[in-house]
Protein backbone atom coordinates (compact mmCIF):
# COMPACT_ATOMS: atom_id res chain seq x y z
CA UNK A 1 0.00 0.00 0.00
CA UNK A 2 2.81 2.41 0.89
CA UNK A 3 4.44 1.68 -2.45
CA UNK A 4 1.33 2.71 -4.41
CA UNK A 5 0.88 5.81 -2.26
CA UNK A 6 4.50 6.84 -2.89
CA UNK A 7 4.13 6.26 -6.64
CA UNK A 8 0.89 8.28 -6.71
CA UNK A 9 2.40 11.19 -4.76
CA UNK A 10 5.51 11.18 -6.95
CA UNK A 11 3.37 11.11 -10.10
CA UNK A 12 1.27 14.04 -8.89
CA UNK A 13 4.41 16.01 -8.10
CA UNK A 14 5.72 15.47 -11.61
CA UNK A 15 2.41 16.41 -13.21
CA UNK A 16 1.98 19.60 -11.21
CA UNK A 17 5.57 20.74 -11.63
CA UNK A 18 5.70 20.17 -15.39
CA UNK A 19 2.25 20.50 -16.87
CA UNK A 20 0.43 23.13 -14.87
CA UNK A 21 2.72 26.11 -15.34
CA UNK A 22 5.07 25.62 -12.42
CA UNK A 23 8.75 25.99 -13.11
CA UNK A 24 9.97 22.47 -12.34
CA UNK A 25 13.06 21.39 -10.45
CA UNK A 26 14.77 24.75 -10.11
CA UNK A 27 11.68 26.71 -9.40
CA UNK A 28 11.71 30.12 -10.93
CA UNK A 29 10.09 33.44 -11.31
CA UNK A 30 7.28 34.61 -13.49
CA UNK A 31 7.19 33.40 -17.05
CA UNK A 32 7.60 36.40 -19.31
CA UNK A 33 5.99 35.57 -22.69
CA UNK A 34 7.29 37.08 -25.93
CA UNK A 35 5.46 37.56 -29.21
CA UNK A 36 7.89 35.61 -31.40
CA UNK A 37 9.00 32.07 -32.12
CA UNK A 38 11.10 30.09 -29.67
CA UNK A 39 14.00 30.16 -32.14
CA UNK A 40 13.91 33.96 -32.39
CA UNK A 41 13.73 34.31 -28.60
CA UNK A 42 16.75 32.03 -28.16
CA UNK A 43 18.65 33.96 -30.84
CA UNK A 44 17.84 37.28 -29.14
CA UNK A 45 18.83 36.06 -25.68
CA UNK A 46 22.02 34.44 -26.98
CA UNK A 47 23.10 37.70 -28.65
CA UNK A 48 21.85 40.36 -26.26
CA UNK A 49 25.21 41.05 -24.63
CA UNK A 50 26.85 41.57 -28.03
CA UNK A 51 24.67 44.64 -28.54
CA UNK A 52 24.84 45.96 -24.99
CA UNK A 53 28.34 45.77 -23.53
CA UNK A 54 27.10 46.68 -20.05
CA UNK A 55 25.37 43.27 -19.90
CA UNK A 56 28.57 41.32 -20.64
CA UNK A 57 29.66 39.04 -17.79
CA UNK A 58 32.85 40.33 -16.14
CA UNK A 59 35.91 38.06 -16.38
CA UNK A 60 36.00 37.69 -12.59
CA UNK A 61 32.55 36.03 -12.69
CA UNK A 62 32.94 33.86 -15.80
CA UNK A 63 34.01 30.88 -13.65
CA UNK A 64 30.60 30.91 -11.96
CA UNK A 65 28.86 30.09 -15.22
CA UNK A 66 28.97 26.44 -14.18
CA UNK A 67 25.39 25.27 -14.68
CA UNK A 68 26.46 22.54 -17.07
CA UNK A 69 28.63 20.97 -14.35
CA UNK A 70 25.69 21.19 -11.95
CA UNK A 71 23.58 19.09 -14.32
CA UNK A 72 21.17 21.79 -15.49
CA UNK A 73 22.39 22.00 -19.09
CA UNK A 74 19.14 20.37 -20.25
CA UNK A 75 17.39 23.67 -19.47
CA UNK A 76 19.55 25.45 -22.05
CA UNK A 77 19.84 28.35 -19.65
CA UNK A 78 21.45 31.65 -20.30
CA UNK A 79 23.46 33.83 -17.94
CA UNK A 80 22.92 37.58 -17.85
CA UNK A 81 24.92 40.16 -15.93
CA UNK A 82 23.25 43.18 -14.41
CA UNK A 83 24.64 46.19 -12.61
CA UNK A 84 22.34 48.98 -11.60
CA UNK A 85 23.61 52.44 -12.55
CA UNK A 86 22.89 53.91 -9.12
CA UNK A 87 24.32 50.98 -7.16
CA UNK A 88 27.49 48.96 -6.75
CA UNK A 89 25.51 45.74 -6.55
CA UNK A 90 26.41 43.26 -9.27
CA UNK A 91 24.15 40.33 -10.08
CA UNK A 92 23.93 37.61 -12.67
CA UNK A 93 20.70 35.87 -13.60
CA UNK A 94 20.29 32.30 -14.75
CA UNK A 95 17.37 32.41 -17.18
CA UNK A 96 15.77 29.58 -19.11
CA UNK A 97 13.51 29.68 -22.13
CA UNK A 98 10.06 28.18 -21.61
CA UNK A 99 8.64 26.64 -24.78
CA UNK A 100 5.12 27.54 -25.87
CA UNK A 101 2.37 25.31 -24.50
CA UNK A 102 -0.09 23.82 -26.92
CA UNK A 103 -3.72 24.77 -26.33
CA UNK A 104 -2.60 27.27 -23.68
CA UNK A 105 -0.22 29.91 -24.95
CA UNK A 106 1.45 29.86 -28.33
CA UNK A 107 4.29 32.22 -27.32
CA UNK A 108 7.59 31.14 -25.77
CA UNK A 109 8.71 32.69 -22.53
CA UNK A 110 11.70 33.22 -20.27
CA UNK A 111 11.92 32.72 -16.54
CA UNK A 112 14.59 33.79 -14.05
CA UNK A 113 15.65 30.66 -12.15
CA UNK A 114 18.53 31.86 -9.99
CA UNK A 115 20.53 34.94 -9.11
CA UNK A 116 24.26 35.18 -8.45
CA UNK A 117 25.46 37.72 -5.93
CA UNK A 118 27.91 38.26 -3.14
CA UNK A 119 26.51 37.09 0.21
CA UNK A 120 28.66 37.89 3.24
CA UNK A 121 31.58 38.52 0.84
CA UNK A 122 31.17 35.04 -0.66
CA UNK A 123 30.01 34.45 -4.25
CA UNK A 124 26.80 32.41 -4.34
CA UNK A 125 24.08 31.24 -6.70
CA UNK A 126 20.71 31.55 -5.00
CA UNK A 127 17.65 29.83 -6.39
CA UNK A 128 14.82 32.29 -6.85
CA UNK A 129 12.52 30.06 -4.80
CA UNK A 130 14.84 30.46 -1.78
CA UNK A 131 14.65 34.26 -1.69
CA UNK A 132 12.15 36.37 0.18
CA UNK A 133 9.10 37.45 -1.85
CA UNK A 134 10.22 41.09 -1.92
CA UNK A 135 13.66 40.09 -3.27
CA UNK A 136 12.01 38.00 -6.00
CA UNK A 137 9.78 40.95 -6.90
CA UNK A 138 12.80 43.27 -7.22
CA UNK A 139 14.63 40.76 -9.43
CA UNK A 140 11.56 40.42 -11.65
CA UNK A 141 11.33 44.22 -11.98
CA UNK A 142 15.03 44.50 -12.91
CA UNK A 143 14.70 41.70 -15.45
CA UNK A 144 11.62 43.27 -17.07
CA UNK A 145 13.29 46.68 -17.18
CA UNK A 146 16.55 45.50 -18.78
CA UNK A 147 15.31 42.75 -21.08
Amino acid sequence: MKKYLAITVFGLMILTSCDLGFSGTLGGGNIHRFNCTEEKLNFYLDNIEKHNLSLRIPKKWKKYDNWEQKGYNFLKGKIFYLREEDSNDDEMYYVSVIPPKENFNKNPGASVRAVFRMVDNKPRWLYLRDLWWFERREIEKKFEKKY
Side-chain angles (χ1 to χ4, degrees):
M1 182 67 176
K2 289 182 182 181
K3 180 179 173 181
Y4 294 115
L5 180 61
I7 291 171
T8 302
V9 169
F10 183 70
L12 286 173
M13 287 173 41
I14 289 173
L15 287 173
T16 58
S17 69
C18 297
D19 290 332
L20 298 177
F22 296 100
S23 297
T25 57
L26 267 182
N30 298 329
I31 298 174
H32 305 276
R33 297 283 176 187
F34 296 89
N35 191 18
C36 63
T37 65
E38 187 175 353
E39 293 78 25
K40 285 184 181 179
L41 179 58
N42 273 306
F43 180 80
Y44 170 74
L45 293 175
D46 287 339
N47 291 290
I48 195 169
E49 70 180 28
K50 291 177 185 174
H51 301 289
N52 188 341
L53 297 179
S54 68
L55 301 176
R56 193 163 287 166
I57 299 170
K59 288 181 183 178
K60 67 180 182 177
W61 281 13
K62 283 276 189 191
K63 63 185 172 187
Y64 301 111
D65 182 2
N66 57 356
W67 286 93
E68 193 168 308
Q69 293 90 358
K70 291 182 177 193
Y72 288 109
N73 54 335
F74 68 94
L75 290 174
K76 298 182 180 122
K78 295 149 184 20
I79 305 289
F80 297 105
Y81 173 74
L82 181 66
R83 180 182 190 135
E84 291 292 320
E85 294 86 24
D86 58 343
S87 170
N88 286 333
D89 296 332
D90 293 331
E91 292 181 331
M92 285 192 301
Y93 297 149
Y94 180 75
V95 176
S96 62
V97 172
I98 311 295
K101 293 187 83 161
E102 289 184 35
N103 301 325
F104 177 68
N105 191 330
K106 303 244 187 287
N107 297 333
S111 178
V112 177
R113 304 294 188 126
V115 62
F116 180 87
R117 50 170 75 146
M118 299 300 281
V119 179
D120 298 326
N121 291 322
K122 295 178 185 169
R124 296 209 34 217
W125 277 107
L126 305 166
Y127 297 127
L128 214 62
R129 67 174 181 225
D130 296 333
L131 299 175
W132 290 98
W133 66 269
F134 55 88
E135 290 177 291
R136 288 192 303 265
R137 186 181 67 207
E138 287 302 313
I139 288 168
E140 293 288 348
K141 284 182 186 177
K142 288 179 195 176
F143 181 75
E144 287 175 12
K145 180 180 169 186
K146 280 288 189 187
Y147 305 105

